[in-house]
């Protein structure tokens, strides 16, 4: 027999405010400051287990960028940004109570690089290096229940560091032909 389970309903309310200020320090150096302030309210109700859970996640995510236009064809940049993903509920009624919710994940991203158009704009070369400091990463887990069934749910798995770089090139060989190559490395 095929039975259906009722895992309830999640009602989500999301409010956010965003602002950006840009400033030219010199003819060559500019910067921006951005911020996003958000609040997400979740309410899980009903289902076969008569859920009634509420959670509120608040976040403030800044972003700072600097750009230095060394020449008309070469620009260096750097950025620092925080991002987040609110927590939530795993509403599958077969889960243990301790696995029914998970917390917010957040990450700080650091990046530096340059963008260039060389050889009379026949060669584009862009290079960037980055580091991401990830906290409380959310990851989907799969567990086997006592009756042999499997259930998937989200859990916070801890700290993660990501380091890498990217190189992007595009060369115009003739007026009608161009070649493009990209290399990315992440650890």
């Amino acid at each position: 027999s095929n039975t259906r389970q009722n895992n309830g309903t999640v009602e989500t309310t999301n409010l956010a405010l965003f602002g950006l200020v840009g400033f030219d320090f010199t003819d060559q150096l500019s910067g921006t400051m951005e911020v996003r302030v958000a609040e997400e309210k979740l309410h899980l109700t009903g289902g076969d287990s008569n859920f009634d859970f509420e959670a509120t996640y608040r976040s403030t995510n800044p972003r700072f960028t600097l750009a230095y236009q060394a020449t008309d064809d070469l620009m260096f940049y750097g950025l620092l940004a925080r991002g987040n993903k609110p927590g939530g509920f795993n509403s599958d009624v077969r889960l243990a109570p301790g696995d029914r919710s998970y917390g917010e994940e957040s990450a700080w991203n650091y990046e530096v690089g340059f963008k260039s158009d060389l050889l009379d704009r026949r060669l584009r070369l862009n290079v960037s290096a980055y580091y991401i400091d990830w906290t409380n990463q959310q990851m989907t887990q799969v567990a086997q229940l006592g009756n042999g069934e499997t259930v998937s749910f989200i859990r916070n798995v801890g700290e993660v560091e990501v380091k890498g770089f990217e190189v992007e090139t595009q060369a115009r060989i003739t007026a009608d032909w161009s070649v493009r190559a990209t290399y990315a490395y992440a650890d």
Side-chain angles (χ1 to χ4, degrees):
S1 72
N2 187 2
T3 60
R4 297 179 66 161
Q5 66 186 33
N6 182 342
N7 291 324
T9 302
V10 177
E11 181 181 327
T12 305
T13 304
N14 189 310
L15 301 171
L17 180 65
F18 177 81
L20 178 146
V21 174
F23 188 75
D24 292 330
F25 300 104
T26 68
D27 288 343
Q28 294 174 292
L29 182 65
S30 63
T32 61
M33 293 184 302
E34 304 169 52
V35 68
R36 183 179 188 272
V37 179
E39 178 181 271
E40 184 164 288
K41 292 182 181 181
L42 304 174
H43 190 192
L44 171 61
T45 56
D48 292 338
S49 296
N50 293 316
F51 292 127
D52 189 7
F53 298 130
E54 291 182 305
T56 300
Y57 299 95
R58 293 179 180 91
S59 63
T60 301
N61 292 324
R63 177 181 164 114
F64 305 96
T65 61
L66 278 177
Y68 179 71
Q69 193 73 44
T71 67
D72 288 344
D73 300 328
L74 177 62
M75 186 266 295
F76 294 94
Y77 70 92
L79 71 85
L80 165 65
R82 181 185 188 273
N84 79 302
K85 185 175 178 184
F89 297 116
N90 295 306
S91 61
D92 193 308
V93 297
R94 300 170 295 170
L95 288 170
D99 291 325
R100 290 206 174 124
S101 66
Y102 54 93
E104 173 191 68
E105 72 176 17
S106 64
W108 280 98
N109 182 41
Y110 308 86
E111 184 176 336
V112 294
F114 68 85
K115 297 179 182 287
S116 64
D117 285 314
L118 308 170
L119 304 175
D120 198 26
R121 299 192 178 265
R122 290 191 312 272
L123 175 65
R124 172 167 288 165
L125 176 63
N126 298 333
V127 177
S128 65
Y130 60 88
Y131 172 76
I132 301 170
D133 184 11
W134 208 337
T135 304
N136 292 325
Q137 181 189 23
Q138 298 170 4
M139 186 170 284
T140 300
Q141 309 283 298
V142 177
Q144 189 168 17
L145 304 174
N147 62 5
E149 292 180 328
T150 58
V151 60
S152 64
F153 60 100
I154 297 172
R155 175 183 283 166
N156 296 100
V157 296
E159 312 297 314
V160 177
E161 289 183 351
V162 181
K163 298 172 277 201
F165 66 91
E166 296 180 359
V167 178
E168 176 189 6
T169 61
Q170 182 175 343
R172 191 177 65 218
I173 299 170
T174 69
D176 299 320
W177 290 89
S178 64
V179 64
R180 171 184 271 169
T182 302
Y183 179 81
Y185 172 83
D187 177 16

